[in-house]
Amino acid sequence: MTRTHQTATEPQLWDDETLDWLEAEAIYILREVAAQFQRPALLFSGGKDSVCLLRLAEKAFRPARFPFPLLHIDTGHNYPEVIAFRDARAKELGERLIVRSVEDSIRRGTVRLAHPLESRNRHQSVTLLEAIEEFGFDCLIGGARRDEEKARAKERVFSLRDEFGQWDPKAQRPELWNLYNGHIPPGWHVRAFPISNWTELDVWRYIARERLALPSIYFAHERPCVRRGRLLAPVTPLTPPKEGEVVEPVWVRFRTVGDMTCTAPVESRATTVEAIIRETAETMISERGATRLDDQTHEASMEQRKREGYF
Amino acid sequence: MSDVLRFMTCGSVDDGKSTLIGRLLYDTRAVLVDTLEGVSHASERRGLSRIDLSLLTDGLIAEREQGITIDVAYRYFSTGRRNFIIADAPGHEQYTRNMVTAASTAELAVLMVDVRQGLTTQTRRHALLCELMGIPHLVIAVNKMDLVGYDPEPFAAVQAAFETFAVQAQLRADRRYLPISALEGDMVVERGERMPWYHGPTLLEVLESVPSAHTGKAESFRFPVQWVCRPQAADDPTLHDYRGYAGMVASGSVAVGDAVTVLPAGLATTVLAIELGGRSLTAARAGQSVMLRLQDDLDVSRGDMIVRSDEPLPAVTRTLVADLAWLANGPLDPRRVYGLRQTTREVKAKIDSIEYRWDVASMRREDVDTLTANDIGRVRVKLSAPIVAERYEQDRALGAFILFDPATGDTVAGGVIREWA
């Protein structure tokens, strides 16, 4: 008598065929940037999307050094774990990291805050444009994805910005086949998005497949929070509880990391990449809907920021 | 194991493209709760009594102001059988260039026709552009069946009219006709019960079953050199003589040890190594981004093409006969020199002559002196240097090019190669 051996098999965590396709396209786009521009830079914040970009850049350019520096626009309101990770990763790769900070723009007077604890998220645009001018960058590579937000869903892979860093969604260049056109007027620059066609789930699957390290706050941990409507707001020195709010320890993880004042964690017990993949596949709330305190106010707040030079 | 199908929706304005995409996303449960709430609030603010699904894709301020689609929105969903990338393209004539952007990467087009309007000029233009862009599968979605009482006769009339047009225009794409109501959801994901006379597949069933381009036929090896890797400045002296040619395999495959020829110069050598991210591979196939190292130290740069010596060599030419979709607001100026980009190669180009322009309304070939915005026409092109050419219907990667204005950098036309002298 034969005995069938039943084992509880995990559902497949990723699909190599799709990831290979997305990876090959992203490498192609990175190499187009290297070939078509004089002074590109890759925006590296320490977040999960830019972590993927670094692995893709290794696949595109090794054994050579990257043909561009890494650039981070630091709002001064980042989680310390993320900044430590950013520096360690750049060092490990042996690549040049340029940091420009909103704090310096405030000191120069080019950024003026309405009040000291105001979110610095939108002010990044000013510091970014100052860095572009300082270094003469003609292309910035970013980890934005079209599934993040409805204005991003409309954006080209090579997205033109005028001298003021403005995006004009009504006058985008036709972008045919994979013939990305990097010819631009003097003073303009391009924002290039190699992982445009990736979804949040693709990013996590790639992180799992490539065994990429991430800042610890992406994984579930206990942290003091307050509940604001549907969102959880982390309690930090920069984001103290408001009057009447109850601080409670909650098991959370961050789906996206950014400025402390506008990034909310989600409740989760997922302490591994595999658990996060399972949660991401099942969630009914979008990444931005669950995590951004600043996108809730207006139907088109992202588009408006992008028109002003925001990434 | 699932694959990726890229498809688009097109057709006249107000034929319901964005509503259809909204319906597809909604009925396949690809819309997340907060997104739906946002759309629901936006619908209420507009005084609508039900959720306007088109607001799921029309996300720009100006689009919501005018209730039209201006630029392509890309959306992603998965059914377990397949992953989909949808390009929701605008219908307005003014934004035809954005429709062409979506068409250039689509493998299937859903052409929307309002059952009450029948074929409009814009329907015909979009069908022709799909043909020009070589989209192999065309689904003619006859929409708004709810407004004609789900009657089979107006549907049959649209089908007959489109077939007449398709024969006249010599469309090669395979064609399927579907009666649908994007608003009510009939025949999109669910069959509904109001069209028992229709026995064909639903839209989702078509999307899940058509063959995608990734499962295509084997072709000759074509490798446009994208970037030359020379890490001389590295601290590692063993890399001093390293020379890698980076690129994406456009078609076919190659293995270590294969004899190859570098075009247009015609230099012969063999493949020494194939690498990806510093890791060695034994072979590379279409769609892979890799680095090739060659046996001999040849002068190879971006824009050159590496092919296998044991396969038929492609044409190397300085003249082209091509179909153009003119996308710029200003007209084609035959006196000017344009930039032409094909694969990774850029050369200068002059339009030698305009053979004809399609009159989209009458489907006649017209004699003209120029092409203006949204025109489709056949031209002869003279190039400043040779390119490695292939007919577009043979090879979408080598047969396609763009023209750009050297003064502004703007992309002014998309072109497909038909033949050469």
Side-chain angles (χ1 to χ4, degrees):
Chain A
M1 199 180 117
T2 54
R3 195 170 141 233
T4 38
H5 184 68
Q6 291 261 329
T7 44
T9 49
E10 278 287 302
Q12 196 184 354
L13 282 171
W14 66 78
D15 160 7
D16 278 315
E17 202 178 330
T18 302
L19 288 184
D20 284 346
W21 184 82
L22 290 168
E23 180 188 88
E25 180 186 59
I27 292 171
Y28 174 84
I29 293 165
L30 283 169
R31 288 169 172 171
E32 278 305 293
V33 170
Q36 293 196 43
F37 294 94
Q38 301 296 315
R39 310 201 68 177
L42 185 147
L43 285 165
F44 177 55
S45 62
K48 67 181 188 309
D49 303 304
S50 56
V51 162
C52 288
L53 281 187
L54 289 187
R55 169 53 54 93
L56 292 162
E58 287 183 271
K59 294 205 181 192
F61 303 113
R62 292 290 185 242
R65 302 273 299 272
F66 297 171
F68 38 69
L70 314 180
L71 172 67
H72 184 223
I73 304 300
D74 190 341
T75 60
H77 287 176
N78 292 290
Y79 288 94
E81 298 92 325
V82 179
I83 296 301
F85 175 85
R86 174 198 75 186
D87 294 341
R89 190 75 190 102
K91 198 170 168 202
E92 188 185 2
L93 283 168
E95 299 292 344
R96 182 171 157 226
L97 172 70
I98 298 169
V99 178
R100 286 295 175 268
S101 68
V102 174
E103 205 66 54
D104 287 337
S105 300
I106 294 170
R107 238 173 269 136
R108 269 194 296 273
T110 46
V111 164
R112 302 222 174 147
L113 300 176
H115 57 89
L117 286 186
E118 182 189 3
S119 167
R120 295 179 177 186
N121 192 45
R122 66 181 304 150
H123 298 302
Q124 284 180 81
S125 309
V126 174
T127 311
L128 175 64
L129 293 175
E130 285 171 352
I132 289 170
E133 200 170 331
E134 178 185 353
F135 293 96
F137 292 133
D138 52 3
C139 181
L140 294 177
I141 304 160
R145 311 184 318 266
R146 284 173 176 153
D147 83 326
E148 281 178 71
E149 209 276 336
K150 53 191 181 291
R152 291 229 199 270
K154 301 255 166 183
E155 197 160 8
R156 300 279 189 260
V157 172
F158 272 26
S159 185
L160 265 65
R161 293 294 193 280
D162 69 10
E163 288 162 293
F164 295 94
Q166 299 175 110
W167 180 56
D168 183 355
K170 276 179 136 174
Q172 297 199 82
R173 248 182 207 172
E175 190 165 75
L176 283 73
W177 299 288
N178 59 357
L179 301 176
Y180 303 109
N181 177 356
H183 295 276
I184 47 170
W188 289 43
H189 69 273
V190 162
R191 309 265 170 104
F193 302 114
I195 60 169
S196 278
N197 283 326
W198 297 39
T199 62
E200 183 186 13
L201 198 50
D202 294 324
V203 166
W204 281 111
R205 285 171 169 157
Y206 195 68
I207 286 165
R209 182 173 89 164
E210 302 290 314
R211 301 177 189 285
L212 302 179
L214 286 178
S216 57
I217 65 171
Y218 275 110
F219 301 96
H221 56 284
E222 208 176 32
R223 146 182 319 265
C225 294
V226 295
R227 294 184 189 274
R228 264 173 217 159
R230 179 162 61 195
L231 295 177
L232 279 169
V235 175
T236 70
L238 286 167
T239 54
K242 291 178 186 165
E243 214 172 296
E245 283 181 334
V246 182
V247 181
E248 52 178 311
V250 189
W251 272 85
V252 294
R253 66 179 170 88
F254 286 85
R255 275 170 83 178
T256 179
V257 302
D259 198 292
M260 271 189 224
T261 57
C262 65
T263 313
V266 293
E267 278 197 87
S268 172
R269 290 269 176 180
T271 53
T272 63
V273 176
E274 289 71 23
I276 292 172
I277 289 176
R278 256 176 251 121
E279 272 190 11
T280 307
E282 283 162 14
T283 184
M284 287 309 291
I285 306 274
S286 75
E287 180 176 333
R288 239 160 226 283
T291 58
R292 294 307 287 259
L293 297 163
D294 57 344
D295 278 347
Q296 314 294 327
T297 45
H298 192 283
E299 262 180 66
S301 46
M302 166 72 95
E303 179 185 352
Q304 279 170 342
R305 287 205 303 275
K306 287 169 82 69
R307 282 167 174 271
E308 292 160 15
Y310 188 75
F311 223 86
Chain B
M1 200 50 64
S2 57
D3 63 346
V4 181
L5 182 82
R6 300 190 71 150
F7 74 95
M8 72 180 302
T9 53
C10 54
S12 279
V13 67
D14 286 334
D15 281 357
K17 295 175 292 297
S18 300
T19 307
L20 176 73
I21 305 236
R23 172 59 66 187
L24 261 179
L25 296 173
Y26 185 75
D27 283 1
T28 55
R29 290 167 187 83
V31 184
L32 299 173
V33 171
D34 57 308
T35 311
L36 200 61
E37 273 176 24
V39 168
S40 167
H41 290 152
S43 302
E44 272 170 38
R45 273 198 296 279
R46 282 165 183 69
L48 306 173
S49 57
R50 61 199 286 173
I51 290 185
D52 180 355
L53 290 174
S54 74
L55 294 175
L56 284 172
T57 57
D58 288 340
L60 299 175
I61 297 166
E63 292 177 322
R64 293 189 169 199
E65 269 169 14
Q66 300 170 50
I68 62 166
T69 306
I70 289 171
D71 213 332
V72 189
Y74 294 90
R75 299 283 152 176
Y76 305 83
F77 77 101
S78 176
T79 58
R81 287 185 64 181
R82 204 168 230 184
N83 298 321
F84 296 97
I85 302 179
I86 322 174
D88 176 20
H92 262 277
E93 186 168 352
Q94 189 189 345
Y95 297 110
T96 299
R97 58 176 176 266
N98 298 337
M99 180 271 170
V100 175
T101 289
S104 69
T105 54
E107 296 150 46
L108 178 147
V110 180
L111 182 64
M112 303 282 288
V113 181
D114 181 334
V115 67
R116 302 164 309 160
Q117 305 287 329
L119 306 193
T120 63
T121 304
Q122 195 65 344
T123 313
R124 282 192 277 261
R125 186 193 309 278
H126 281 189
L128 274 183
L129 287 168
C130 290
E131 173 70 18
L132 182 73
M133 291 290 148
I135 298 176
H137 311 288
L138 200 55
V139 175
I140 298 97
V142 183
N143 191 25
K144 307 200 181 181
M145 289 301 292
D146 50 303
L147 297 181
V148 295
Y150 297 98
D151 184 355
E153 272 175 28
F155 167 72
V158 171
Q159 176 163 0
F162 195 90
E163 275 304 305
T164 307
F165 157 76
V167 171
Q168 209 179 7
Q170 298 171 357
L171 300 188
R172 282 165 298 185
D174 69 61
R175 298 184 286 280
R176 292 155 207 259
Y177 296 86
L178 255 78
I180 67 163
S181 166
L183 193 69
E184 303 291 343
D186 303 88
M187 295 302 163
V188 179
V189 173
E190 312 291 339
R191 295 195 68 83
E193 287 164 3
R194 290 172 284 219
M195 288 184 278
W197 48 267
Y198 171 77
H199 303 291
T202 62
L203 179 59
L204 187 64
E205 285 164 356
V206 173
L207 295 174
E208 284 188 324
S209 62
V210 298
S212 88
H214 304 291
T215 55
K217 56 206 179 294
E219 297 160 87
S220 303
F221 176 64
R222 305 282 183 255
F223 186 81
V225 175
Q226 200 185 0
W227 180 77
V228 181
C229 180
R230 295 227 56 194
Q232 280 170 314
D235 320 326
D236 184 352
T238 61
L239 289 176
H240 186 76
D241 294 322
Y242 185 98
R243 202 190 284 257
Y245 302 106
M248 182 186 268
V249 181
S251 61
S253 64
V254 73
V256 173
D258 280 351
V260 291
T261 303
V262 183
L263 297 173
L267 311 164
T269 182
T270 54
V271 176
L272 181 71
I274 302 171
E275 293 168 3
L276 174 60
R279 193 166 56 91
S280 289
L281 309 176
T282 52
R285 56 181 160 70
Q288 280 188 305
S289 282
V290 295
M291 195 99 79
L292 293 189
R293 295 175 65 199
L294 304 178
Q295 189 70 55
D296 301 293
D297 220 0
L298 304 175
D299 176 17
V300 181
S301 47
R302 174 173 167 88
D304 288 341
M305 182 89 63
I306 301 175
V307 302
R308 260 166 63 175
S309 308
D310 63 345
E311 292 176 334
L313 293 185
V316 175
T317 181
R318 293 177 64 149
T319 61
L320 298 174
V321 175
D323 285 326
L324 285 189
W326 193 258
L327 307 170
N329 292 328
L332 185 161
D333 185 346
R335 295 165 306 178
R336 287 192 65 194
V337 173
Y338 292 98
L340 182 144
R341 165 91 185 274
Q342 178 243 13
T343 68
T344 55
R345 190 168 179 82
E346 279 185 8
V347 296
K348 288 174 183 157
K350 266 197 96 167
I351 307 302
D352 234 9
S353 63
I354 302 172
E355 306 278 284
Y356 57 82
R357 182 186 76 163
W358 280 104
D359 180 322
V360 180
S362 69
M363 289 307 299
R364 288 210 188 88
R365 295 173 181 189
E366 291 184 324
D367 282 337
V368 288
D369 299 325
T370 184
L371 297 176
T372 58
N374 307 324
D375 279 350
I376 306 168
R378 179 153 300 186
V379 296
R380 288 181 177 272
V381 188
K382 201 162 67 187
L383 305 176
S384 63
I387 64 166
V388 178
E390 190 54 87
R391 288 179 183 82
Y392 186 70
E393 52 269 36
Q394 299 294 319
D395 187 334
R396 217 167 167 177
L398 270 65
F401 63 86
I402 55 169
L403 292 181
F404 59 90
D405 184 328
T408 60
D410 283 337
T411 302
V412 294
V416 299
I417 299 170
R418 298 303 182 200
E419 53 185 296
W420 48 85

